[in-house]
Amino acid sequence: MTIKVSVIGASGYVGGELLRILLTHRDVEIVNATSRQHAGEYVHKVHPNLKGMTNLKFSGEDAVAAAAKADVAFLALPHKASVQVVPKLMETGVRIIDMSADYRLKDPGKYVEWYGYAHPYPDLLKKFVYGLPELHREELRGAKYVSAPGCMAASAIIGLAPLMKAFEATGPIVVDAKIGSSGAGGKPSPSTHFSERFGVIRPYKPAGHRHAAEIEQELSIVSGRDIKVAMSAHAVNIVRGILTTSHVFLTEAPTQQQLWKAYRDMYGSEPFVRFMMDRTGLYRYPDPKVVIGSNFADVGFAVESRLKRVIALSAIDNLIKGAAGSAVQSMNLMFGLDEREGLNVPAIHPV
Ligand SMILES: NC(=O)c1ccc[n+]([C@@H]2O[C@H](COP(=O)([O-])OP(=O)(O)OC[C@H]3O[C@@H](n4cnc5c(N)ncnc54)[C@H](OP(=O)(O)O)[C@@H]3O)[C@@H](O)[C@H]2O)c1
């Protein structure tokens, strides 16, 4: 089977990672990669790592014209650009994987609460599957429309889901997220300017981060309870990678065996989740440094019995497991392929 793929917004960081992964995918032909600013230029002029891998040029076509030539369109557009494009693409019959936040939340009211606008197409939200295979594998098989998770949300949800499924927390979950500069995308801004961004440990959103909305949504589904998340996000001095350190307070401190069971029950046969719980060595707990370039999510935990606190740790590459990798994994499930296809590569080390 050859799947014809269109990448809309291919000049951005997520678009570039989608191209990199899809170029070596055995069942994919990239029929076009769009950019308004770079139309007609070779893809490698913007993504120099792809030189020698493809002679593809950016297409200046609009999203509808480009996607009409494909079986599936990845929308790697900014928040609030996808929202208007999606209904038009649906009319063409193409399958859609949206990378933005525009179709992630099931409850339209949450767009008002967290994003400050009334969703213009609330009826379409239920048509999308949340694109995290670890939680929604069966729904993704054969799905037509997928909304890929937010990068910090993916990390937090993967780290916390087994815990929330197996145990009942006494109150809100505290999620502390640290992210590299590529999380802000390729468009420069004063806060991403090297002189201001280099060397920071910047609490850029100590309260009210929007990804909390989808973390609450997904952890509530997995646990069957109404979960609340207190999230703080920090910009740190790396280009790629996310570490989430989440704090869960329970009525009783669980044993190590109970925790291992919870994580093994959920992730024992997951192709891209690794347990980082070693007694020796440098990397005893999840660390973004050893997932960079891969689709792996590394998870681990620690217990502080005195406070009945469990600390859930998770590390991912924001542009891969937090974006393009999960999206391709979802595409593989949508088309009935081996979900590892195109993604079965180790991380880069050292980086
Ligand atoms: N960066 C991450 O770690 C990450 C992780 C998960 C999800 N995401 C989400 O993925 C999406 C893409 O993120 P990114 O980091 O790749 O952003 P980016 O680097 O800024 O790229 C955005 C792309 O969209 C195009 N574009 C911008 N405005 C547009 C508009 N109004 N209409 C059509 N095309 C437009 C841009 O190219 P032209 O201007 O040349 O057309 C560019 O190709 C966002 O929704 C983001 O929230 C990002």
Side-chain angles (χ1 to χ4, degrees), residues 8-16 34-39 47 58 75-82 85 98-102 104 148-152 179-187 211 242 317-320 322-324:
I8 314 289
S11 60
Y13 283 166
V14 171
T34 76
S35 164
R36 300 163 309 170
Q37 295 183 66
H38 300 281
H47 305 302
F58 288 111
L75 299 185
L77 302 174
H79 163 60
K80 276 182 139 173
S82 281
V85 171
D98 182 28
M99 310 304 302
S100 82
D102 291 346
R104 286 182 199 149
C151 49
M152 282 183 280
I179 187 165
S181 57
S182 63
K187 196 173 169 189
H211 285 185
I242 297 173
D317 183 325
N318 55 295
L319 291 174
I320 306 185

Side-chain angles (χ1 to χ4, degrees), residues 219-241:
L219 294 181
S220 297
I221 293 170
V222 87
S223 68
R225 288 185 284 271
D226 182 24
I227 302 295
K228 292 286 177 238
V229 167
M231 178 173 176
S232 296
H234 306 80
V236 296
N237 197 34
I238 52 177
V239 173
R240 283 171 177 247

Side-chain angles (χ1 to χ4, degrees), residues 143-167:
K144 195 145 190 214
Y145 307 121
V146 168
S147 181
C151 49
M152 282 183 280
S155 181
I157 294 165
I158 291 172
L160 282 162
L163 203 53
M164 305 316 295
K165 193 175 179 183
F167 303 97

Side-chain angles (χ1 to χ4, degrees), residues 160 163-164 169 173-174 246-250 308-312:
L160 282 162
L163 203 53
M164 305 316 295
I173 313 305
V174 177
S246 302
H247 307 269
V248 184
F249 292 89
L250 302 172
K308 303 180 182 95
R309 176 172 75 122
V310 182
I311 303 99

Side-chain angles (χ1 to χ4, degrees), residues 2 43 59 62 77 83 91 123 171 184 193 198 232 235 250 268 298 305 328 330 335 343 350:
T2 300
V43 156
S59 157
D62 71 24
L77 302 174
V83 77
E91 287 174 20
D123 293 344
H193 179 46
F198 178 75
S232 296
L250 302 172
D298 286 355
S305 301
V328 172
S330 294
F335 286 89
L343 298 166

